[in-house]
Amino acid sequence: MFYKASLFSLCLLSAGSFADTIYGTVELTHLTPTQAESTWQRENQVVPRYPMKLAQKGIAGCGIFKVNVDAEGTTKSIMLVNSVPKRVIEKPAARVIEEWDWTLVEGKSAASEEKLIRLDFCLGASSEEEAHQLCKQQASMACE
């Protein structure tokens, strides 16, 4: 899912041009357990939406979150482990995670699971393809 907005809504412009468009996207990485090893997976496996508050402020960055899912598949807690910029993305990202519904992976027994996930919020590309590539690069760097 790509967020698309005029530069005017994201940052100050020089020369007064409002015709430019920038693109952003979100990259989700399952750190532990890996997606293949998980007991619970997100019911809807689409890319998370870029939080509007971050996009409007032109904020890009990353966050690592500890997410606890109980034996019924309910998110019990979301804790920020680390982020860049510090603490700015915590609330908007947590709202994204809170919206997720969890489904038990076929063949697994229902049990609580602690997940470590990373969300990268990438902004500033001139096309959807470029946004996706920039986010893949950002997700390979340290989030500290």
Side-chain angles (χ1 to χ4, degrees):
M1 189 74 54
F2 290 92
Y3 176 80
K4 179 180 175 181
S6 69
L7 282 175
F8 176 71
S9 68
L10 300 173
C11 61
L12 297 174
L13 293 175
S14 59
S17 169
F18 298 105
D20 293 334
T21 301
I22 62 169
Y23 293 81
T25 190
V26 178
E27 180 79 18
L28 168 63
T29 306
H30 298 268
L31 301 173
T32 59
T34 65
Q35 190 169 11
E37 298 168 335
S38 292
T39 300
W40 297 98
Q41 291 191 357
R42 291 182 307 126
E43 190 170 289
N44 190 355
Q45 292 291 320
V46 298
V47 175
R49 295 180 64 94
Y50 206 109
M52 186 65 79
K53 286 186 179 189
L54 294 180
Q56 288 172 332
K57 293 178 181 178
I59 296 173
C62 60
I64 297 175
F65 295 86
K66 186 182 296 183
V67 180
N68 287 300
V69 180
D70 70 12
E72 285 79 43
T74 303
T75 302
K76 286 301 180 183
S77 65
I78 302 166
M79 184 180 88
L80 177 68
V81 174
N82 200 23
S83 69
V84 175
K86 293 289 182 198
R87 308 203 63 82
V88 173
I89 67 168
E90 180 177 15
K91 286 181 183 177
R95 279 190 222 106
V96 168
I97 297 167
E98 286 170 351
E99 293 177 7
W100 295 347
D101 293 317
W102 300 99
T103 301
L104 185 62
V105 173
E106 189 175 323
K108 300 271 184 150
S109 299
S112 61
E113 181 173 55
E114 182 177 278
K115 298 176 165 294
L116 198 59
I117 61 168
R118 174 177 169 152
L119 289 173
D120 282 274
F121 300 94
C122 309
L123 199 60
S126 59
S127 69
E128 291 180 8
E129 297 79 24
E130 183 184 10
H132 184 69
Q133 289 301 325
L134 289 173
C135 217
K136 288 275 187 204
Q137 286 178 323
Q138 178 178 309
S140 69
M141 297 179 203
C143 183
E144 47 189 51

